[in-house]
Amino acid sequence: MPDNLTTIEEILERKSHPVVRDASIAPTHDMRELLFDLEAKGEIIVQKVPEPYVEFTTKFGRKKKIPIEHTWHHKSCGHCGHIPGYASSILWLHRQFDLDYHDPTDQTSCTGWNYYASAASNAAGQASVMARNFAAAYETGYFPLIHCGTSFGHYKEIREQLVHNQELRDEVRRILGKLGKPLVIPEEIVHYSEWVYAMRHRFAERQLVDMSPITATVHPACHYYKIVAEDAIYDPEIYGGQRTAVVTALLETLGMNVADYSTWFDCCGFGFRHVLVQRDFTRSFAVLRKIEVMKNEANPDLTVTHDTGCVTTLDKSQFAAKAHDRKVGIPILSDAQVAALAMGAHPFRVVQFHWHSTDWRPFLEKLGVNWQKYWDEFQADLDAIRAGTKSGITWEDADQPIHLTA
Amino acid sequence: MPTTLENWNPGKAEDRHPEATYEEKERLFLEVKSDLRYEDFLYGCYECGICVSACPSARFYDFSPRVIAQAMAREDVERIYDILTEDIWNCAQCFSCVRCPRQNNPGGLVTILREVSIKNGLQESKDALQGYSRVIYKVMLKGNQVSPDMLQPDFFPDWGPWVKNFSENMHVWRKAIPMDTIRGITDVAWRVERKTLLELYTIWFESGNMDIIKELDEGLYDLLADVMQEELEEG
Ligand code: SF4
Ligand code: SF4
């Protein structure tokens, strides 16, 4: 570790090695090789991707395995706390195909939102939280499927740190030892939107709602494809392989018109700390750099994204902007909610539209969905819950797909 | 008087923050430099500004990931102290700046700078995180960052009448969710087992995370440590 300012001699030495540009040494390394090396040395356990899986190409050409079932659902605090229809749509889709999954209570959040907001943690603490969750998944035999984009990005980053740093591995193993757990790293770190991408044609086969009247814009989530950029899925058919293929490929497969806009690379403005305690930045960025640009350039019926903070920020920031006569009014959904809706999920029992604040009624009306009818059904559920004749909505109430436009 | 080109006088670098000695500023920088991630986050800087063009915070604040990478690459101890005390809390941690052709990670450098700032109890960090303690309390104690009961009209007035509607219906809405792990839960995002929380508390103590909290906010530390220690002793 350097513990002094760099000397002139060190700078001259560094400058004597010119940068070599050579495609053959571009960063295409396969993380799995390093993981298996560490496993062979007895340092870690690598949890294998279970069969059946599908392989897709990542940014620089590596094939990534995406498991179809036997998955351990690493939930997102932002989904479950503030957008529960996001999480229930992911599970509802699994249930439609009778896919084996596990929804654990032996799971904490990655705590990454807090870390990116406050830095009130450290590398060993963050790596241990990840490793505890992975060991818990390993104990059940189910393979982690990460719901949150920040958890996904954060875990990829921590995996890099663990693989390249003996000191950190030793420290994390020491801490896990206190919990009686081994250091487990999954063979792949998989985001749920990659599973949605893998399943998109199967969703389309069972599609009940015609999505062709809808024009949608896509907000690709920063922590999905910017952190450890080489481990996100790309496809030459989608924007010439220049943007991640997840979300866009799903919408196209479901028959939506995907419209482009110039600030697609910009973040949503979430800011981690900002969204909680300095929202003037979040609101301004979300409206001025995302929503208004989409409105002006594409005028979409809907914006679709694949991460917690993006749905919340883009949705909730629009209310205050109306007071300033800004051009707003685009409902925001996740890819999982769109897929579930297309397959006939109940708009309120499953997709839980009522947790979204930007008006979603015009979108459902354009699809030909009589949302009032389903809202009345849901109100009857709520009345029964209030009266104590029903304890809550269960999968039994929610599993059955509906011909929403009939 | 407005600043103009004629009267602009940035002063000497060392006079900008006389509250800290050069030695103290150098010590803080060396702490940043010794972080295990530092070498992977900074390889030099072309001054191309690609990071700035992608940076959301650069649009709304006097903030530049290029300046951060430059100052770090030049090991400009005075400038780095300016950044440490004036800039780091403006970063949105989106990592759009990793577009850098030099393969730098300016957002990652900010993460390290923030950690060092917190560990050393810099007042600017305490100010930036004012009002944030309840979130740290929640995530460290409950294992979840956010919960439905946080959605109160007083905290989110700018989110409109939806928040009021939600908070009035929260208990019944939460029962109307088909997932077993969420249904009926309002004080956390999903149901987390007690055993899991005890393991989490052990991680916070063993990793040195509790020492960081102590430096940041002694009151918060006392609250957390009391509950965690009691739970761990019982468990
Ligand atoms: S991580 Fe910070 S410095 Fe980098 S682009 Fe985002 S806001 Fe800017
Ligand atoms: S993109 Fe990289 S090389 Fe260019 S100014 Fe930013 S840090 Fe420097």
Side-chain angles (χ1 to χ4, degrees):
Chain A
M1 292 286 162
D3 57 359
N4 271 314
L5 297 187
T6 308
T7 62
I8 299 290
E9 289 70 31
E10 282 172 310
I11 294 171
L12 290 175
E13 207 281 324
R14 210 189 291 154
K15 295 218 178 239
S16 65
H17 309 292
V19 176
V20 181
R21 299 210 176 274
D22 179 353
S24 69
I25 55 165
T28 55
H29 73 273
D30 188 339
M31 174 58 69
R32 286 173 303 187
E33 288 168 13
L34 302 173
L35 292 175
F36 288 128
D37 280 353
L38 287 173
E39 187 176 46
K41 286 184 197 146
E43 283 217 43
I44 63 170
I45 294 172
V46 181
Q47 185 178 10
K48 310 287 180 303
V49 175
E51 306 256 6
Y53 58 77
V54 193
E55 288 188 312
F56 295 107
T57 309
T58 53
K59 188 167 191 174
F60 300 124
R62 182 180 83 80
K63 293 278 186 214
K64 179 170 185 175
K65 294 179 188 170
I66 306 300
I68 296 301
E69 58 176 324
H70 313 305
T71 41
W72 190 88
H73 285 252
H74 183 294
K75 293 176 289 301
S76 153
C77 46
H79 294 183
C80 296
H82 298 171
I83 335 163
Y86 197 152
S88 54
S89 292
I90 297 173
L91 296 192
W92 186 86
L93 291 167
H94 280 74
R95 299 174 66 84
Q96 292 307 301
F97 296 91
D98 286 324
L99 300 175
D100 180 33
Y101 71 86
H102 179 57
D103 176 12
T105 46
D106 185 9
Q107 185 223 322
T108 69
S109 105
C110 68
T111 75
W113 181 347
N114 176 55
Y115 183 58
Y116 291 122
S118 72
S121 185
N122 55 18
Q126 292 298 291
S128 301
V129 169
M130 174 186 91
R132 199 218 66 83
N133 277 332
F134 284 160
Y138 180 72
E139 285 161 7
T140 65
Y142 286 84
F143 191 87
L145 185 70
I146 316 285
H147 286 196
C148 180
T150 283
S151 304
F152 172 73
H154 193 42
Y155 285 176
K156 287 193 296 180
E157 180 83 39
I158 294 170
R159 178 182 58 182
E160 297 276 327
Q161 290 163 16
L162 277 171
V163 162
H164 294 293
N165 198 285
Q166 176 78 52
E167 211 179 306
L168 184 62
R169 285 199 300 278
D170 291 345
E171 177 63 355
V172 171
R173 258 198 311 269
R174 183 190 68 76
I175 295 170
L176 288 175
K178 304 261 174 193
L179 315 178
K181 289 190 187 301
L183 176 51
V184 182
I185 303 181
E187 179 185 356
E188 300 278 11
I189 294 184
V190 184
H191 189 235
Y192 87 86
S193 69
E194 300 178 319
W195 175 84
V196 167
Y197 175 79
M199 290 290 292
R200 67 194 189 283
H201 296 295
R202 292 175 73 182
F203 298 157
E205 279 166 18
R206 305 210 349 213
Q207 190 169 347
L208 296 179
V209 178
D210 174 16
M211 291 281 171
S212 64
I214 299 300
T215 294
T217 42
V218 171
H219 168 66
C222 296
H223 285 193
Y224 171 71
Y225 76 106
K226 290 173 184 170
I227 298 182
V228 191
E230 63 270 28
D231 201 350
I233 290 177
Y234 285 71
D235 176 346
E237 298 291 317
I238 303 293
Y239 290 116
Q242 297 302 304
R243 296 187 206 174
T244 180
V246 300
V247 185
T248 302
L250 169 83
L251 303 187
E252 289 186 356
T253 306
L254 296 177
M256 276 189 193
N257 169 37
V258 180
D260 200 6
Y261 62 104
S262 55
T263 54
W264 67 271
F265 186 83
D266 272 1
C267 85
C268 64
F270 185 67
F272 298 86
R273 187 182 71 91
H274 298 81
V275 74
L276 291 169
V277 293
Q278 211 169 330
R279 269 197 308 287
D280 51 344
F281 166 80
T282 298
R283 282 194 307 272
S284 305
F285 198 87
V287 170
L288 299 178
R289 288 291 295 182
K290 300 296 292 196
I291 299 294
E292 228 173 37
V293 177
M294 293 176 193
K295 267 273 185 200
N296 284 333
E297 297 180 9
N299 196 24
D301 304 297
L302 177 73
T303 290
V304 187
T305 182
H306 56 145
D307 194 9
T308 316
C310 319
V311 173
T312 301
T313 299
L314 295 173
D315 178 29
K316 299 290 188 281
S317 297
Q318 296 187 47
F319 174 78
K322 267 201 302 204
H324 296 279
D325 287 332
R326 308 302 316 192
K327 264 194 184 172
V328 290
I330 311 175
I332 312 292
L333 288 179
S334 66
D335 52 352
Q337 288 168 299
V338 171
L341 191 71
M343 283 180 59
H346 195 291
F348 305 102
R349 289 177 182 159
V350 179
V351 184
Q352 306 257 325
F353 269 96
H354 49 294
W355 290 75
H356 297 246
S357 61
T358 304
D359 193 5
W360 34 263
R361 293 159 192 83
F363 160 69
L364 287 178
E365 282 161 9
K366 196 162 184 182
L367 284 174
V369 176
N370 179 0
W371 59 266
Q372 186 69 49
K373 178 179 148 195
Y374 300 105
W375 181 242
D376 292 345
E377 272 178 20
F378 186 66
Q379 288 306 308
D381 292 334
L382 299 186
D383 287 343
I385 294 170
R386 283 193 189 98
T389 53
K390 193 177 174 72
S391 60
I393 283 182
T394 62
W395 285 120
E396 218 170 284
D397 305 311
D399 272 338
Q400 186 61 38
I402 310 162
H403 285 272
L404 291 167
T405 52
Chain B
M1 190 175 29
T3 306
T4 62
L5 267 184
E6 284 70 40
N7 69 15
W8 184 58
N9 177 11
K12 286 187 188 158
E14 60 269 34
D15 294 340
R16 280 200 298 273
H17 286 285
E19 73 277 12
T21 61
Y22 180 84
E23 288 69 32
E24 174 63 0
K25 293 170 186 170
E26 185 182 75
R27 184 187 69 75
L28 289 168
F29 168 62
L30 291 176
E31 196 174 321
V32 173
K33 195 180 168 188
S34 68
D35 187 283
L36 61 92
R37 296 162 288 187
Y38 185 84
E39 287 185 353
D40 289 328
F41 287 176
L42 183 67
Y43 296 94
C45 177
Y46 299 142
E47 285 247 43
C48 64
I50 286 175
C51 54
V52 185
S53 69
C55 173
S57 297
R59 280 183 193 278
F60 286 88
Y61 298 113
D62 182 7
F63 175 86
S64 164
R66 177 190 61 80
V67 167
I68 294 170
Q70 271 288 313
M72 304 287 260
R74 280 189 276 114
E75 303 192 349
D76 181 341
V77 167
E78 293 287 355
R79 190 72 190 87
I80 291 166
Y81 191 79
D82 295 346
I83 291 166
L84 200 55
T85 50
E86 294 166 23
D87 294 338
I88 50 175
W89 296 100
N90 290 333
C91 169
Q93 293 281 280
C94 64
F95 300 101
S96 302
C97 48
V98 298
R99 258 190 164 180
C100 168
R102 199 73 185 82
Q103 298 191 350
N104 294 333
N105 181 349
L109 293 172
V110 169
T111 314
I112 303 175
L113 284 160
R114 284 180 174 186
E115 263 188 48
V116 168
S117 167
I118 299 259
K119 270 188 220 142
N120 286 277
L122 266 58
Q123 187 56 41
E124 290 77 6
S125 300
K126 297 183 184 189
D127 295 345
L129 293 176
Q130 246 188 10
Y132 186 79
S133 304
R134 67 197 163 95
V135 182
I136 298 180
Y137 181 81
K138 173 82 77 178
V139 74
M140 292 186 72
L141 211 55
K142 305 275 190 177
N144 276 185
Q145 169 97 8
V146 289
S147 56
D149 62 5
M150 281 168 69
L151 291 171
Q152 299 293 334
D154 291 354
F155 294 143
F156 295 93
D158 53 322
W159 284 7
W162 177 87
V163 188
K164 188 160 177 286
N165 184 20
F166 165 77
S167 62
E168 285 166 2
N169 288 292
M170 176 175 75
H171 289 283
V172 65
W173 281 16
R174 287 300 280 186
K175 287 182 182 161
I177 299 168
M179 285 169 68
D180 298 338
T181 47
I182 301 184
R183 191 185 312 110
I185 306 284
T186 55
D187 64 336
V188 281
W190 66 84
R191 195 179 293 109
V192 181
E193 286 169 37
R194 181 156 186 272
K195 167 192 93 73
T196 310
L197 290 177
L198 297 184
E199 290 176 356
L200 186 69
Y201 303 162
T202 305
I203 290 174
W204 297 144
F205 281 108
E206 290 292 329
S207 64
N209 216 132
M210 289 304 283
D211 302 332
I212 296 171
I213 301 300
K214 197 171 192 174
E215 195 57 62
L216 176 69
D217 183 338
E218 202 137 352
L220 175 64
Y221 171 84
D222 289 341
L223 276 175
L224 283 170
D226 275 357
V227 181
M228 288 181 189
Q229 268 153 356
E230 202 179 304
E231 286 284 312
L232 283 169
E233 275 159 29
E234 272 181 31

